[in-house]
């Protein structure tokens, strides 16, 4: 049991740090490519982070109702369509 909690903590820390690194890389790329300042990008990324919170609750509800695989497949389809256009 102790080992499970240690691994869960390690994975949580890794996911947290990974999210910070990706945001930093994307902000740097947007700054270099489009000359957007960090002052402009900060509120956008904050809003995106706040939008993520309720979506996690909805994802949990969808997973309980439809199962893991169905939730993953059917929520990625509209996301990928939006990325195409």
């Amino acid at each position: 049991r102790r080992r499970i909690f240690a691994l869960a903590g390690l994975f949580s820390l890794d996911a947290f740090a990974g999210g910070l690194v990706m945001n930093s890389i994307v902000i740097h790329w947007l700054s270099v490519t489009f000359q957007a300042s960090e002052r402009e990008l900060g509120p956008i990324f904050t809003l995106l982070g706040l939008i993520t919170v309720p979506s996690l609750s909805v994802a949990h509800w969808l997973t309980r109702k439809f199962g893991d695989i169905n939730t993953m497949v059917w929520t990625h389809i509209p996301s990928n369509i939006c990325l195409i256009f």
Side-chain angles (χ1 to χ4, degrees), residues 44-78:
I44 294 169
F45 277 82
T46 301
L47 180 64
L48 291 174
L50 292 173
I51 290 171
T52 302
V53 174
S55 74
L56 293 174
S57 297
V58 171
H60 176 69
W61 177 79
L62 287 171
T63 302
R64 291 179 139 241
K65 186 169 178 69
F66 300 111
D68 293 335
I69 301 298
N70 285 330
T71 300
M72 184 181 72
V73 169
W74 292 106
T75 56
H76 277 77
I77 290 173

Side-chain angles (χ1 to χ4, degrees), residues 3-80:
R3 206 175 274 174
I4 297 295
F5 282 119
L7 282 172
L10 183 63
F11 288 141
S12 298
L13 182 63
D14 179 55
F16 177 72
L20 291 177
V21 169
M22 276 309 298
N23 281 348
S24 299
I25 291 171
V26 170
I27 287 173
H28 175 70
W29 179 79
L30 290 170
S31 296
V32 170
T33 305
F34 299 107
Q35 291 79 35
S37 73
E38 289 83 4
R39 187 176 294 254
E40 296 167 337
L41 295 172
I44 294 169
F45 277 82
T46 301
L47 180 64
L48 291 174
L50 292 173
I51 290 171
T52 302
V53 174
S55 74
L56 293 174
S57 297
V58 171
H60 176 69
W61 177 79
L62 287 171
T63 302
R64 291 179 139 241
K65 186 169 178 69
F66 300 111
D68 293 335
I69 301 298
N70 285 330
T71 300
M72 184 181 72
V73 169
W74 292 106
T75 56
H76 277 77
I77 290 173
S79 172
N80 290 333

Side-chain angles (χ1 to χ4, degrees), residues 76-85:
H76 277 77
I77 290 173
S79 172
N80 290 333
I81 289 171
C82 288
L83 285 173
I84 290 171
F85 298 107

